[in-house]
Amino acid sequence: MSERVNEAPGNVRLIGGEMLLWSDMSHMAGVTDWRGAALELVRRMIPGTGRVLLVGPHPQVLVDDVVSRAGETAVLLRSYPDACALGERHPELAVHCGRLDVFDAEEPYELVLALDGLLRTHSAEAPATAWTESLRALSALVAPGGRLVLGVRNDLGVDRFIEARTADREGGDDQWAPHGFDPSYPSGPGALDGALEGAGLSVERCYAAYPGRQAPRALLAREALAFDLPESITFPLSARGGDRTLVADPLRLTRLVFRHRLGEELAPLWLAVATRPPAPPGPASAPPAPASRLSPYDDVAADEPCGEFDTGPEEWEGVALPLGLIEEGAAVHELTRSGLRRLPDGEEHPAPAGRVVEEILVEACAREDTKAVRELLAALADWLESDGGPCVAADSLVYDGERFAAIAQTATPAVPPEPRVVLCRVLWRFAVRLLAAGHHHPWPWPLEADQLTLTLCGMAGRPCDPGDLDLARKYDAELGHPAEQADTPTYRDLLGARDRLADQLTAALARISRLETKLSYRERELVRAKSKVRRTQRKSAAVRRTLGYRLSRRLARPRRVARRVIRMLSG
């Protein structure tokens, strides 16, 4: 071990409790992959000449961006191999390797980033520190007037209800201590705010991260979640299946969370931005009053209807941190009071109003309302032929009863296909998603996606042939958004397979019962036949022993001999 320690770069300092043979970065399945939305939020808080501390493992892109922007950066990691790799990549970086509770900083930091939380700040060689104690140790590193950005995973997030496998034991090698047994771990947004205030910090913003804890694409402040957000914003934030085993439809469950305004309580992750109050100028001055916690329940009464999206409390005015950041592909949009603004310098545009076309069609199919489906598809076909975009889909369009609008602005291909092919692609993607999700529809259940697509095109008044369908699939592949679902079965699929196997087993057992009954009957018949044969054999044996039988046999022998002689002479 001493040889490995001696190989450490000069900017790596061991502080105690380091894990010499363990690497958190080699097990990135458990580390949150913060992307464009988190990068944009962190960039707005990095002090140009201040000191920044990163606690715990972070994605390499985020670390590189912070190092390039901050005046002085330090990192605290528990993994010795990770610390050495980071020290070699950034020789100017101060890397501390060890546990959080033994880290003694010479000076506090203006910005402390712990986006991965506090679970990877202690070593497996020592008992795990309580979450509140780790938070106090972390808050002590924040300078007066500085900020702490802390990521906290929600034990009751919507992704935990979707996932069929247990979340406490996901099979990672780093989970030697089961999570969930720490009573000090925050159980909700209120408990998180109370813990931060108990550590001497004031909550400035608390964001709900969606769609999942692995790779969040959106950060929504609680002030925005207190109101009815448009479906064009909340619909894309559903946690899709990927390679997981699902217990429910993630799209429908996430939509219900936002519809009932539980987006903060059931968020997969919380990202809290807290500040330490500035030091008082003198002993005679009174300490500053703790900042009031901004909460949707403080601004909207329980019996008072929520306002529209473009209205909000007065606390929204003058706040430097954004209300929300939403990532769409390579672009990041900022949520404002009146809509969305593309960063860094895009124009602000209102969020499209109306319901998502896919949801309208799914509900109409569930009611077997073919008239509503036909009218909506006909209107969609007219819109695509007049001024519709060639890259839209049923899950990226909203309809307010009169007009269609695209949720996200996508690049138009150089040579767009005919509107008939675009409509066929839209309906084919919808058919694939409808059948993959197992929704009810008024057409025969064994109908495949291709056949259902041709049926929907006919209902829209734009009949298509298999050639148009092939062009639509090729065009969908060119756009890079395949409609095929993952091959991993959901829990619903497993239940369906179990029901099918149960039906087959019931039929097989019934057939076996019938065969056993028939076999028992045949065995009884065979026993009776054998008994009858034995009785007949005994009777025939008794007849053979009689005098008359023996005499008849002897008298019949000369006649048989004479018949043979006659046949030989005649033949």
Side-chain angles (χ1 to χ4, degrees):
M1 296 299 179
S2 60
E3 295 180 358
R4 293 180 58 86
V5 173
N6 293 333
E7 295 175 359
N11 57 342
V12 177
R13 183 170 69 92
L14 305 183
I15 62 176
E18 58 276 352
M19 302 179 66
L20 299 177
L21 300 178
W22 176 257
S23 173
D24 286 314
M25 302 306 295
S26 63
H27 302 272
M28 286 298 292
V31 179
T32 304
D33 185 16
W34 295 100
R35 302 185 182 182
L39 284 174
E40 177 63 28
L41 180 65
V42 171
R43 287 170 184 170
R44 299 191 180 190
M45 294 183 289
I46 294 178
T49 58
R51 306 173 74 240
V52 180
L53 173 66
L54 289 93
V55 179
H58 290 80
Q60 180 177 344
V61 177
L62 189 145
V63 176
D64 296 344
D65 190 79
V66 172
V67 172
S68 63
R69 295 175 181 269
E72 181 181 351
T73 308
V75 177
L76 174 61
L77 298 172
R78 66 178 181 180
S79 170
Y80 176 75
D82 296 344
C84 292
L86 187 59
E88 293 177 357
R89 191 168 72 248
H90 296 285
E92 75 283 2
L93 187 64
V95 183
H96 307 277
C97 183
R99 301 197 311 267
L100 173 63
D101 53 352
V102 299
F103 177 59
D104 186 13
E106 299 178 358
E107 297 180 6
Y109 297 86
E110 282 75 20
L111 178 62
V112 177
L113 301 176
L115 276 66
D116 188 62
L118 301 176
L119 299 180
R120 291 181 177 84
T121 58
H122 57 81
S123 172
E125 308 298 332
T129 308
W131 189 86
T132 52
E133 296 179 5
S134 299
L135 179 60
R136 295 191 189 98
L138 187 65
S139 63
L141 304 175
V142 183
R147 278 172 169 159
L148 167 65
V149 184
L150 176 63
V152 181
R153 296 188 177 186
N154 185 7
D155 289 339
L156 290 178
V158 63
D159 55 340
R160 301 296 175 91
F161 297 104
I162 295 173
E163 181 65 53
R165 291 170 294 187
T166 175
D168 295 334
R169 287 287 190 177
E170 295 178 346
D173 293 336
D174 59 334
Q175 297 175 356
W176 51 79
H179 172 61
F181 297 96
D182 187 358
S184 65
Y185 195 84
S187 58
L192 176 60
D193 293 348
L196 290 171
E197 293 175 357
L201 304 174
S202 300
V203 180
E204 185 176 0
R205 273 276 195 262
C206 187
Y207 293 95
Y210 280 91
R213 61 186 183 274
Q214 296 295 337
R217 301 194 310 267
L219 298 174
L220 302 176
R222 60 167 56 129
E223 291 82 6
L225 292 173
F227 295 88
D228 290 328
L229 294 175
E231 292 191 3
S232 58
I233 295 178
T234 59
F235 188 86
L237 300 183
S238 63
R240 302 304 170 92
D243 59 348
R244 299 176 302 161
T245 302
L246 303 180
V247 72
D249 185 5
L251 178 60
R252 180 170 179 80
L253 190 58
T254 309
R255 291 290 298 112
L256 291 175
V257 168
F258 284 106
R259 185 167 297 172
H260 293 283
R261 290 191 292 274
L262 296 175
E264 184 184 12
E265 286 76 7
L266 298 181
L269 277 168
W270 297 306
L271 195 63
V273 180
T275 59
R276 180 175 292 280
S285 61
S292 60
R293 179 168 61 93
L294 297 180
S295 173
Y297 306 106
D298 299 334
D299 301 320
V300 182
D303 55 351
E304 180 181 351
C306 291
E308 299 295 334
F309 174 64
D310 58 352
T311 60
E314 296 297 331
E315 287 84 352
W316 286 14
E317 297 291 347
V319 179
L321 296 179
L323 291 173
L325 295 169
I326 302 174
E327 180 182 354
E328 292 181 358
V332 178
H333 299 263
E334 180 180 354
L335 181 65
T336 62
R337 293 183 59 180
S338 56
L340 295 172
R341 182 173 67 89
R342 181 165 182 169
L343 300 177
D345 52 0
E347 296 181 358
E348 184 175 346
H349 58 87
R355 297 194 60 196
V356 179
V357 174
E358 181 175 305
E359 279 199 345
I360 302 176
L361 291 174
V362 168
E363 291 183 1
C365 290
R367 298 191 307 267
E368 297 190 359
D369 190 354
T370 56
K371 179 181 178 182
V373 174
R374 185 179 296 106
E375 293 176 353
L376 180 59
L377 294 183
L380 176 61
D382 294 338
W383 179 74
L384 290 175
E385 292 175 353
S386 58
D387 56 353
C391 302
V392 297
D395 57 339
S396 62
L397 278 176
V398 290
Y399 182 61
D400 59 359
E402 297 180 358
R403 293 177 299 275
F404 291 90
I407 294 177
Q409 302 296 331
T410 57
T412 303
V415 182
E418 299 180 2
R420 183 180 69 260
V421 177
V422 175
L423 176 65
C424 189
R425 170 186 172 266
V426 172
L427 299 183
W428 177 72
R429 289 178 59 90
F430 169 71
V432 171
R433 292 166 62 90
L434 179 72
L435 297 179
H439 295 299
H440 176 74
H441 58 82
W443 300 280
W445 183 256
L447 201 65
E448 297 180 355
D450 294 351
Q451 299 173 348
L452 181 57
T453 302
L454 298 179
T455 301
L456 295 175
C457 290
M459 296 182 66
R462 310 299 192 273
C464 296
D465 53 20
D468 297 331
L469 186 58
D470 292 338
L471 294 176
R473 282 197 295 262
K474 292 179 182 178
Y475 179 59
D476 186 75
E478 292 176 359
L479 294 178
H481 303 287
E484 290 83 2
Q485 299 293 324
D487 295 333
T488 303
T490 63
Y491 190 67
R492 180 179 56 253
D493 297 332
L494 297 179
L495 289 179
R498 187 205 64 177
D499 294 339
R500 289 193 299 271
L501 292 177
D503 294 340
Q504 295 176 5
L505 180 60
T506 302
L509 291 176
R511 184 180 180 185
I512 291 174
S513 178
R514 292 193 301 269
L515 292 176
E516 287 181 348
T517 302
K518 185 180 295 186
L519 180 61
S520 300
Y521 172 76
R522 295 293 175 83
E523 287 179 348
R524 290 194 298 269
E525 291 291 328
L526 182 60
V527 169
R528 286 194 294 267
K530 288 182 178 180
S531 178
K532 186 177 181 180
V533 169
R534 284 195 296 268
R535 289 196 302 268
T536 304
Q537 289 176 350
R538 286 196 297 268
K539 291 180 180 179
S540 62
V543 169
R544 290 192 188 97
R545 289 193 296 268
T546 60
L547 179 61
Y549 178 78
R550 290 197 298 269
L551 290 176
S552 63
R553 294 282 292 177
R554 291 179 179 179
L555 293 175
R557 186 177 300 172
R559 290 195 298 269
R560 288 198 299 269
V561 173
R563 283 197 296 269
R564 287 180 186 172
V565 173
I566 293 172
R567 285 196 205 97
M568 292 174 62
L569 293 176
S570 63

